[in-house]
């Protein structure tokens, strides 16, 4: 724009130079006037009458120039104003932004703090709820276990400090109560079932002693909170000592869990009772056992007779045998009893036969004797093997009948189930009691019988050897 | 120490019931028999039977230490007398050794068989005690009770097995040893009855 203005000015000057003659004085005038009159068109307006006749191009330019000059100045001024205003406003706004940013940071920090607070308070609420539950269950438990000694008074409301204190007081009372020996008047049953009144000494909640003119001693639960006299040896002395306020050395006691269920006296069963529990199979086992014992006795008797000492028989015979005096040897043997002497006698009787025949005869007579020696051995072992199986059979039968009863009456009464099983087991017990001695003795007696057979063989062999040696020596001596 | 042991034993007796005395007695007899048999079944020299016979026949003798040693010495002595039927004489003379190898064999076997059954009997007693206690509601009280019964049941089985198992193992080893000794006695007889010149040649 300035450039355009300058070029315009240049063009005007050129035009003025082209016409120097035209207005020598006026150029001087316009030269001095232009800066003054540029702002207004007044000189233009004042001059028209003087120059109306000559509205030259130069004047129009000058007027236009002055006008534009004014315009330019005006615009520059407004530009300056605008620029300064913008600068002012920008500074203000930037300050405002900085202020707002600081505020945001501040707010954010505050929000974080508030979040933490919320979290902490949630946790506190959680803990408080847990504690409330715990407290409630504690009270429930106390109500249940402390029984009559404590009744919660806070209802559905949360328990307060005084409620807790009351609870602990009640619990301490109960503990003191349960750990002390108290005396009171009351009633209990005697062993035969009559109800007597007397003094009852309670050891906490686990045992009691009763003292009455009719009888005294340890008490046991009789069901429904009642007590009955328990036949515990030495408990009567303890009861009287406790009643007299003394402290006995040992405490014959019946410790119980609660008074709700009756405890039954376990009567000592006699052997016959036990066997009767076993039923038919029990009796069969017992009779088998009796038969087995009888057979063992018989077998011991047989073996005892059969087993004369081998050494003694040979000593008594060998002198006669070496002399070849068979009749004397047989006479000596006749006086002795026992399988060995019979085998030796049969060997002596046949001493003249040749060796193979002689050995056949000896082994035959050993076989003959061994039928005696083995008598009942197998039967005893069979009884020993069968009786535990019979016992098992009885147990299974007993179990079946027990479960039959249970299907009929249900499992409400544990007595039914366990009593039935206990009785069912009796036959197994009987079977084992019969089997063990029979097994042991039967085996040992079999071993004895084997040894006797070995002895017989040995004795016969020795007698034959002695006889043959003597004959050999005689023959070699004669030669 | 010894006192504690005695206390333990008394406690075991108490817990196990009437099964315990027979169990202890059978354990005692078993180990006595095993010890006896162990002492009886000593072989003596470690040399083989052939070496033993040739050494003794040459007169290099020392005091016999075990069963085979003594049998060899005795057998050589009998052979020196030259009886008419050597094998029968040896049979006669060695019969004692053979019966020695069999001594207590049956007893050990019987006790090993009986001890677990005794334990089982104790277990059945314990079970009866347990179920009786269940029946009359004396759960934990007095003598026995449920815990007492179960303890007896387990304890006696344990005791029976403790008696039987070592007896079974050691008894089996001894039986094997006895069998080998009997085989060697038979070998001694065979060698002694074999013609003389074979042996002198070896």
């Amino acid at each position: 724009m300035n450039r355009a203005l300058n070029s315009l000015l240049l063009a005007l000057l050129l035009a003025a130079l082209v016409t120097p003659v035209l207005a020598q004085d006026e150029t001087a005038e316009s030269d001095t006037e232009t800066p003054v009159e540029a702002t207004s068109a007044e000189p233009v307006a004042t001059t028209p009458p003087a120059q109306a006749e000559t509205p030259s191009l130069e004047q129009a330019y000058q007027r236009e120039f002055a006008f534009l000059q004014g315009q330019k100045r005006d615009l520059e001024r407004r530009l300056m104003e605008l620029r300064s205003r913008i600068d002012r406003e920008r500074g203000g706004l930037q300050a405002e932004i900085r202020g707002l940013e600081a505020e945001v940071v501040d707010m954010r920090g505050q929000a974080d703090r508030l979040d933490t607070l919320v979290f902490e308070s949630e946790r506190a609420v959680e803990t408080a709820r847990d504690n409330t539950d715990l407290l409630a269950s504690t009270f429930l438990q106390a109500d249940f276990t402390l029984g009559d000694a404590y009744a919660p008074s806070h209802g559905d409301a949360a328990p307060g400090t005084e409620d807790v204190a009351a609870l602990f007081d009640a619990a301490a009372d109960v503990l003191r109560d349960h750990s002390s020996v108290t005396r009171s008047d009351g009633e209990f049953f005697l062993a035969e079932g009559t109800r007597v009144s007397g003094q009852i000494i309670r050891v906490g909640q686990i045992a009691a002693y009763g003292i009455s003119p009719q009888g005294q001693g340890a008490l046991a639960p009789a069901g429904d909170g009642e007590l009955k006299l328990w036949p515990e040896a030495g408990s009567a002395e303890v009861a009287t000592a406790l009643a007299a306020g003394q402290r006995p050395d040992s405490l014959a006691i019946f410790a119980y869990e609660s008074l709700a269920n009756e405890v039954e006296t376990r009567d000592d069963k006699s052997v016959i009772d036990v066997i009767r529990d076993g039923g038919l199979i029990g009796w069969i086992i017992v009779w088998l056992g009796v038969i087995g014992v009888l057979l063992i006795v018989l077998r011991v008797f047989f073996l005892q007779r059969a087993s004369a000492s081998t050494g003694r028989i040979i000593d008594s015979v060998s002198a006669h045998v070496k002399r070849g005096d068979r009749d004397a040897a047989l006479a000596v043997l006749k006086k002795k009893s026992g399988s060995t002497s019979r085998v030796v006698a049969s060997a002596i009787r046949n001493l003249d036969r040749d060796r193979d025949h002689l050995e056949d005869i000896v082994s035959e007579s050993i076989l003959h004797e061994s039928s005696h020696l083995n008598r009942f051995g197998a039967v005893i072992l069979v009884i020993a093997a069968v009786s535990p199986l019979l016992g098992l059979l009885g147990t299974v039968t007993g179990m079946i009948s027990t479960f039959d009863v249970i299907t009929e009456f249900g499992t409400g009464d544990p007595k039914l189930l366990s009593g039935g099983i206990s009785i069912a087991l009796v036959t197994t017990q009987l079977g084992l009691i019969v089997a063990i001695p029979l097994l042991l003795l039967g085996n040992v007696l079999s071993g004895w019988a084997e040894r006797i057979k070995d002895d017989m063989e040995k004795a016969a062999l020795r007698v034959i050897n002695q006889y043959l040696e003597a004959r050999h020596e005689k023959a070699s001596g004669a030669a | 120490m010894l006192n504690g042991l005695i206390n333990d034993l008394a406690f075991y007796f108490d817990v196990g019931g009437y099964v315990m005395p027979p169990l202890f007695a059978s354990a005692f007899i078993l180990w006595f028999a095993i010890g006896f048999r162990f002492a009886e079944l000593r072989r003596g020299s470690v040399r083989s039977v052939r070496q033993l016979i040739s050494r003794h026949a040459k007169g290099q003798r020392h005091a016999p230490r075990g069963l085979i040693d003594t049998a060899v010495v005795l057998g050589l002595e009998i052979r020196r007398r030259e009886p008419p039927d050597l094998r029968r004489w040896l049979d006669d003379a060695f019969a004692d050794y053979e019966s020695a190898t069999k001594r207590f064999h049956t007893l050990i076997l019987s006790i090993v068989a009986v001890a677990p059954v005794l334990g089982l009997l104790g277990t059945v007693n314990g079970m009866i005690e347990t179920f009786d206690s269940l029946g009359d509601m004396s759960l934990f009280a007095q003598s026995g009770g449920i815990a007492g019964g179960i303890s007896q049941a387990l304890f006696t089985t344990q005791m029976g097995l403790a008696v039987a198992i070592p007896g079974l193992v050691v008894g089996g080893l001894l039986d094997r040893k006895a069998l080998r000794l009997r085989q060697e006695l038979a070998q001694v007889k065979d060698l002694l009855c074999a013609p003389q010149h074979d042996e002198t040649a070896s």
Side-chain angles (χ1 to χ4, degrees):
Chain A
M1 180 136 161
N2 276 343
R3 203 154 166 179
L5 278 177
N6 286 339
S7 59
L8 193 63
L9 278 175
L10 195 63
L12 287 176
L13 277 174
L14 279 174
L17 279 177
V18 174
T19 57
V21 196
L22 259 171
Q24 197 69 18
D25 50 345
E26 274 179 8
T27 41
E29 191 188 76
S30 67
D31 278 334
T32 53
E33 261 187 3
T34 25
V36 183
E37 289 182 352
T39 51
S40 68
E42 279 165 36
V44 182
T46 52
T47 46
Q51 296 173 338
E53 61 272 30
T54 53
S56 64
L57 189 60
E58 191 178 346
Q59 283 172 330
Y61 274 133
Q62 280 195 345
R63 222 175 289 147
E64 194 64 34
F65 177 75
F67 174 69
L68 285 173
Q69 200 82 352
Q71 285 264 325
K72 182 196 163 196
R73 272 198 301 276
D74 192 29
L75 280 172
E76 277 178 342
R77 189 175 42 79
R78 280 173 59 192
L79 188 67
M80 288 298 287
E81 275 174 14
L82 264 178
R83 203 164 268 159
S84 67
R85 211 175 71 208
I86 283 170
D87 282 348
R88 262 201 323 276
E89 280 182 359
R90 181 181 287 151
L93 282 174
Q94 268 170 354
E96 199 177 345
I97 285 172
R98 273 197 296 280
L100 284 174
E101 274 176 348
E103 204 175 340
V104 164
V105 169
D106 200 30
M107 296 280 243
R108 199 166 280 153
Q110 204 172 346
D112 283 352
R113 274 200 304 283
L114 284 176
D115 269 351
T116 322
L117 270 182
V118 165
F119 179 68
E120 276 175 2
S121 54
E122 270 175 358
R123 226 170 42 186
V125 165
E126 196 90 356
T127 319
R129 191 174 295 142
D130 283 355
N131 284 341
T132 314
D133 288 350
L134 197 67
L135 210 55
S137 67
T138 308
F139 272 86
L140 203 65
Q141 203 183 356
D143 191 18
F144 185 67
T145 47
L146 296 184
D148 298 335
Y150 174 74
S153 55
H154 56 88
D156 284 341
T161 323
E162 62 276 7
D163 292 321
V164 177
L167 167 66
F168 275 90
D169 284 346
D173 282 347
V174 169
L175 272 181
R176 203 175 310 120
D177 215 28
H178 284 185
S179 61
S180 59
V181 179
T182 55
R183 263 186 246 189
S184 61
D185 290 329
E187 290 186 324
F188 56 89
F189 294 102
L190 289 181
E192 71 267 24
T194 51
R195 193 186 183 93
V196 294
S197 58
Q199 202 177 25
I200 294 180
I201 302 171
R202 291 176 191 273
V203 183
Q205 286 277 296
I206 56 147
Y209 292 95
I211 293 122
S212 75
Q214 287 87 356
Q216 57 263 335
L219 296 180
D224 291 337
E226 300 282 351
L227 289 162
K228 66 179 178 185
L229 209 57
W230 185 257
E232 178 91 33
S235 67
E237 290 79 16
V238 174
T240 44
L242 281 175
Q246 296 160 351
R247 187 167 292 212
D249 289 336
S250 65
L251 216 54
I253 204 166
F254 184 95
Y256 50 80
E257 209 169 358
S258 76
L259 290 176
N261 291 317
E262 181 175 6
V263 174
E264 280 178 7
T265 333
R266 195 179 305 166
D267 37 345
D268 288 337
K269 286 179 177 170
S270 69
V271 178
I272 299 291
D273 287 338
V274 172
I275 298 171
R276 200 169 287 148
D277 276 348
L280 176 67
I281 294 183
W283 281 113
I284 293 176
I285 293 171
V286 169
W287 283 118
L288 274 180
V290 170
I291 293 170
V293 170
L294 273 180
L295 291 183
I296 281 189
V297 171
L298 283 176
R299 186 144 200 238
V300 168
F301 178 67
F302 287 148
L303 292 179
Q304 188 71 48
R305 269 190 23 178
S307 76
S309 159
T310 322
R312 209 172 301 150
I313 287 176
I314 290 172
D315 286 346
S316 60
V317 177
S318 62
H320 301 297
V321 169
K322 278 178 184 163
R323 272 203 323 268
D325 189 356
R326 285 192 280 164
D327 291 335
L330 284 174
V332 171
L333 285 175
K334 213 164 226 169
K335 277 183 228 153
K336 294 186 183 291
S337 59
S339 305
T340 314
S341 55
R342 280 198 291 277
V343 171
V344 172
S346 76
I348 290 175
R349 245 177 264 126
N350 296 289
L351 273 176
D352 284 334
R353 294 169 185 256
D354 68 85
R355 181 128 210 167
D356 290 342
H357 279 158
L358 193 51
E359 274 166 12
D360 283 347
I361 286 164
V362 167
S363 74
E364 188 276 333
S365 58
I366 287 174
L367 278 180
H368 178 75
E369 293 297 330
S370 70
S371 71
H372 278 286
L373 292 175
N374 287 340
R375 186 171 288 169
F376 303 141
V379 181
I380 290 170
L381 288 181
V382 164
I383 291 177
V386 157
S387 52
L389 295 180
L390 269 176
L392 196 59
L393 175 66
T395 298
V396 173
T397 322
M399 292 279 193
I400 289 174
S401 56
T402 303
F403 283 106
D404 277 348
V405 171
I406 285 171
T407 45
E408 202 168 329
F409 295 105
T411 48
D413 190 1
K415 225 175 273 187
L416 224 53
L417 176 66
S418 51
I421 293 176
S422 141
I423 287 175
L425 284 174
V426 164
T427 52
T428 301
Q429 190 185 22
L430 287 176
L432 291 175
I433 289 176
V434 166
I436 290 167
L438 288 190
L439 192 61
L440 191 64
L441 291 178
N443 274 330
V444 169
L445 291 185
S446 294
W448 190 7
E450 287 303 315
R451 210 165 53 242
I452 290 173
K453 277 183 238 170
D454 282 354
D455 281 351
M456 292 191 306
E457 204 175 342
K458 195 172 75 177
L461 189 64
R462 180 161 299 173
V463 167
I464 296 168
N465 279 343
Q466 281 174 348
Y467 177 74
L468 290 181
E469 192 191 26
R471 206 170 60 174
H472 180 69
E473 277 169 3
K474 217 176 277 173
S476 58
Chain B
M1 173 72 191
L2 189 69
N3 221 358
L5 202 69
I6 291 173
N7 277 344
D8 279 357
L9 282 182
F11 169 73
Y12 293 161
F13 253 86
D14 204 39
V15 168
Y18 66 76
V19 180
M20 277 335 227
L23 258 180
F24 270 86
S26 57
F28 182 75
I29 295 172
L30 173 73
W31 284 103
F32 171 76
I34 284 178
F36 192 93
R37 212 158 140 69
F38 187 77
E40 195 89 328
L41 292 180
R42 270 180 314 152
R43 186 181 181 274
S45 168
V46 288
R47 294 197 174 80
S48 78
V49 174
R50 286 186 189 181
Q51 283 176 322
L52 272 179
I53 287 181
S54 64
R55 275 170 165 269
H56 279 288
K58 281 178 199 153
Q60 301 173 341
R61 56 182 58 198
H62 47 82
R65 280 186 310 236
L67 202 128
I68 298 291
D69 272 357
T70 2
V72 167
V73 172
L74 183 65
L76 283 172
E77 205 171 306
I78 290 174
R79 191 173 70 176
R80 205 166 299 117
R81 276 191 303 182
E82 291 178 5
D85 208 341
L86 180 60
R87 182 171 281 276
R88 302 299 161 196
W89 274 98
L90 289 177
D91 282 347
D92 181 15
F94 287 0
D96 284 339
Y97 301 125
E98 288 192 10
S99 68
T101 63
K102 289 176 188 163
R103 188 168 296 163
F104 287 135
H105 162 77
T106 343
L107 185 67
I108 291 176
L109 274 192
S110 308
I111 288 178
V112 163
V114 155
V117 183
L118 264 174
L120 188 62
L121 177 61
T123 300
V124 172
N125 289 338
M127 298 308 283
I128 290 178
E129 165 88 39
T130 302
F131 282 114
D132 274 350
S133 310
L134 265 177
D136 60 17
M137 291 291 177
S138 58
L139 296 187
F140 67 102
Q142 328 338 320
S143 65
I146 292 182
I150 291 177
S151 142
Q152 183 186 356
L154 297 180
F155 192 78
T156 48
T157 299
Q158 183 195 20
M159 197 64 201
L161 291 179
V163 171
I165 292 174
L168 190 66
V169 172
V170 180
L173 290 178
L174 288 176
D175 277 353
R176 178 165 299 186
K177 195 171 180 187
L179 183 68
R180 216 184 52 232
L181 286 180
R182 277 200 292 278
Q183 284 171 348
E184 282 183 341
L185 280 177
Q187 194 187 356
V188 171
K189 276 188 233 168
D190 289 344
L191 280 173
L192 287 176
C193 295
Q196 203 87 10
H197 56 84
D198 279 353
E199 190 190 305
T200 45
S202 64

